[in-house]
Amino acid sequence: MVSTMKTAKFSIGQVVRHRLFPFRGIIFDVDPQFANTDEWYEAIPADVRPRKDQPFYHLLAENSETEYIAYVSEQNLLEDQSGEPVRHPQIGEMFDKRPDGRYAPRRQSRH
């Protein structure tokens, strides 16, 4: 059996922005292919609905008004090169900010 699964283009801790909509965020998880509900998928307008056979990313996202969690297809993401920090309130729970401005995943302590 030949695998058709794509390798993720973006990585955990990387700051990205949406290709079509005005929001950006930090990647905190990656699904190798679509893993959300059919209801969520069908709610996306057909003319901008992404393919399911690609990586999808969970983001600590922000726009000009608020912070939230977003689920975005790889085809709709671009690397954010603004250098601006992301202001999401959950960043400190998941990431340490490095001196170079990048976000490094926090090590989870195990009990």
Side-chain angles (χ1 to χ4, degrees):
M1 183 170 168
V2 176
S3 175
T4 59
M5 198 173 299
K6 281 183 63 177
T7 301
K9 177 179 176 182
F10 302 106
S11 59
I12 304 292
Q14 188 170 3
V15 179
V16 292
R17 63 183 177 87
H18 198 280
R19 184 174 62 85
L20 302 173
F21 302 111
F23 72 87
R24 58 195 285 269
I26 303 170
I27 296 169
F28 70 89
D29 195 15
V30 182
D31 292 335
Q33 61 186 16
F34 181 78
N36 207 330
T37 66
D38 288 334
E39 292 80 15
W40 182 92
Y41 187 77
E42 295 298 325
I44 300 169
D47 60 331
V48 295
R49 191 176 299 147
R51 298 181 329 274
K52 288 184 175 182
D53 64 340
Q54 63 181 311
F56 275 72
Y57 299 83
H58 300 261
L59 309 179
L60 296 177
E62 67 178 19
N63 62 28
S64 62
E65 300 172 4
T66 191
E67 300 83 34
Y68 52 97
I69 302 293
Y71 191 64
V72 186
S73 66
E74 186 169 274
Q75 77 186 61
N76 284 324
L77 290 177
L78 300 169
E79 183 177 358
D80 182 276
Q81 298 180 345
S82 71
E84 295 292 320
V86 177
R87 66 177 191 272
H88 197 284
Q90 291 177 275
I91 292 171
E93 297 171 25
M94 297 184 198
F95 297 98
D96 290 319
K97 189 161 185 189
R98 298 184 351 193
D100 65 3
R102 295 174 56 199
Y103 296 88
R106 290 189 136 200
R107 296 187 183 269
Q108 300 293 322
S109 60
R110 300 195 188 265
H111 299 283

